[in-house]
Amino acid sequence: MLNLIYWELFKTYSKWRTYIGFIAVGVLIPVIMWIMSYSGEQMIQRQLRSLQKDFFISGNLFNGWVIGQLIMNGLWVHVPALIALVAGDQLSGEATGGTFRLILIRPVSRTRILNAKYFATLLYTASLVLFIGGLSLGLGLWIFGSGDLIAIDREGISILPESELIGRFFLAYALAMWTMFVVATLAFFISSFVENAIGPIITTMTVIVIFLIVSNLPVESVENIKPFLFTTQISVWTEAFKDPYDWSKIIKSCAALGINSLLFYSATLIIFKRKDILS
Amino acid sequence: MKKYSTIIVLIIFSISLSFAQQITAQKIMQNLKEHFDAINDYTVTLDIKPNIERFNTKEMRLRLFYKQPDKVHIESKGFVMIPRQLFETNPSQLLSKFDPILIETKKDSGRTVYVLRLLSKPEKNHPALENYISIDGERWVILKLQSIPAEGRTIDITFDYITVDNNYILPSLMNASFNFGSDDDAIAKMKGFKGMPTKGTIEIRYSDYQVNKGLSNEIFEQKKTSKE
């Protein structure tokens, strides 16, 4: 099995499209940092303006942790596209290249081949999330320094002490990774239907956009559907910046996301095992 | 003879009483200033415990450096938030910025307490500010400050004191409660944001005073965190 995974990883990381995500993020994050270095502090000041009328506020509130959180907030709409770019190519790419027949005549079960491909997809997803985290925090802390994190959400303002932030960001990226696994599994699932990688990428993004719209509709008739849509839980990573942690919400969201991944993967397995290879 | 001496004592007593009653708001502020002027500089550690709605933060600790007449510098490892009124209890500043009016003289725990209304001196493009302060007429320190920075907004601050180096009476505890009315950011509320913090209390404990140690001016110039 390890050998299979090794070769799937080798194939994945041999394609230049795998690096599109890393290059895009590698260019975008420094650009965001550059823009932030000019106007980021004003943004924090604006958020705290009403408090500053009556309170003297001190401390480095515009720091690398704040930048890291801002980048997470901004990128989670675009990162699924980068993940679908690779995950959507895992099965359809073999069909496009006409290599399915070649790999499936080997004395290895289809399930093991699919598992190896899926594992390679998840590893790519994890590596992209870790790259985003490492680059945004590493560069952010280097340029803007460290300090406490000001987290503003609908409930109000939280000031999270610097000493807690490594743990909180670790949890945030772990949750983000878990969310992106669902996106990867969805693209992987769609790629089992088709023989062209473009289809899974576009379809995955279409499904995400439709689900996101439904998840954010303030209409009572869709309230019962919302918990089943993975997009409702897509921002679970923000729970890492709540004080105290709402573990029951985190566990529920993770379970819902896990079930989504499991369903998509099970469906892929069924389709792949019954698939007629005609190319 | 005894009758005359009793009358003389009564006359002297009534004269001194009438002088005591004639103390003016300016004189009270001047006494407050003179007492405070004995302190040329000090450093103190502040432990701040906020309890503010929709504002979640841990206890904060900072080192505050003060030098006459109005130099303040703060050193902290992280985020700190202090009511601005804390910096506006300097008697020199109060005298220069406000017109005091004595509105009440009362006894509290056997001490004479003067209640003054401070109305800000007219300044172009600055709305009038109104403060009420209670001053201990024996120790010449501010016991209570009520600030009304704008209509519907109030900050109440009370102070407890300790004697430092057997000579200087300085705050040991400050309790501030504030109510800034409602946050009227309608756009933010439409997005589901419950609004900025508007009500709460802040408790500040003072410790580790170092008084009149001759603080250098450089301390107040070195960092952006200083508030002058």
Side-chain angles (χ1 to χ4, degrees), chain B residues 113-126:
Chain B
V113 175
Y114 300 108
V115 182
L116 273 71
R117 180 183 180 219
L118 303 177
L119 202 62
S120 61
K121 288 177 178 168
E123 207 176 335
K124 205 178 174 186
N125 297 329
H126 279 81

Side-chain angles (χ1 to χ4, degrees), chain A residues 18-201:
Chain A
T18 304
Y19 298 96
I20 291 175
F22 292 97
I23 293 165
V25 168
V27 171
L28 194 62
I29 288 176
V31 169
I32 293 171
M33 300 263 174
W34 180 67
I35 295 166
M36 283 293 172
S37 68
Y38 283 98
S39 55
E41 193 149 14
Q42 290 163 15
M43 186 190 69
I44 298 285
Q45 297 295 333
R46 211 167 34 242
Q47 286 174 330
L48 295 175
R49 194 168 46 199
S50 67
L51 274 181
Q52 282 181 326
K53 273 193 287 189
D54 302 291
F55 293 96
F56 171 64
I57 292 172
S58 167
N60 181 17
L61 282 181
F62 182 63
N63 55 52
W65 301 111
V66 173
I67 298 289
Q69 200 207 21
L70 282 171
I71 287 172
M72 275 190 98
N73 248 327
L75 284 186
W76 293 122
V77 181
H78 315 289
V79 170
L82 302 174
I83 287 166
L85 201 68
V86 171
D89 186 54
Q90 286 293 353
L91 297 173
S92 58
E94 298 281 3
T96 310
T99 48
F100 252 148
R101 197 183 295 268
L102 196 67
I103 59 166
L104 293 182
I105 56 168
R106 291 187 299 173
V108 181
S109 72
R110 286 194 179 195
T111 306
R112 293 183 75 187
I113 288 172
L114 193 78
N115 284 346
K117 284 190 172 295
Y118 185 57
F119 195 75
T121 307
L122 296 186
L123 268 180
Y124 163 76
T125 307
S127 65
L128 187 64
V129 172
L130 287 176
F131 181 71
I132 293 169
L135 190 66
S136 57
L137 287 183
L139 210 57
L141 289 170
W142 181 54
I143 296 171
F144 301 101
S146 188
D148 295 339
L149 174 71
I150 177 164
I152 300 177
D153 62 21
R154 290 176 179 189
E155 300 299 320
I157 300 172
S158 293
I159 304 292
L160 304 171
E162 188 183 351
S163 57
E164 291 180 8
L165 293 178
I166 291 176
R168 286 184 179 274
F169 269 89
F170 185 80
L171 177 64
Y173 282 111
L175 293 171
M177 209 182 275
W178 192 244
T179 310
M180 289 303 122
F181 282 171
V182 186
V183 174
T185 315
L186 172 67
F188 191 72
F189 164 65
I190 296 166
S191 88
S192 67
F193 288 107
V194 295
E195 297 193 349
N196 188 319
I198 302 294
I201 298 162

Side-chain angles (χ1 to χ4, degrees), chain A residues 200-272:
Chain A
I201 298 162
I202 294 169
T203 313
T204 303
M205 288 315 293
T206 309
V207 169
I208 290 171
V209 169
I210 292 168
F211 278 20
L212 270 174
I213 291 168
V214 176
S215 294
N216 290 302
L217 269 182
V219 182
E220 210 170 300
S221 56
V222 292
E223 287 300 320
N224 294 333
I225 306 167
K226 282 181 184 179
F228 300 101
L229 304 177
F230 69 89
T231 45
T232 308
Q233 324 292 345
I234 209 161
S235 57
V236 63
W237 64 270
T238 58
E239 293 296 320
F241 301 109
K242 299 260 171 77
D243 191 26
Y245 293 116
D246 187 347
W247 285 112
S248 88
K249 194 175 176 188
I250 292 171
I251 290 165
K252 271 183 199 167
S253 293
C254 286
L257 291 167
I259 289 166
N260 269 281
S261 289
L262 192 69
L263 287 175
F264 288 137
Y265 180 73
S266 304
T268 314
L269 188 64
I270 292 164
I271 291 162
F272 187 67

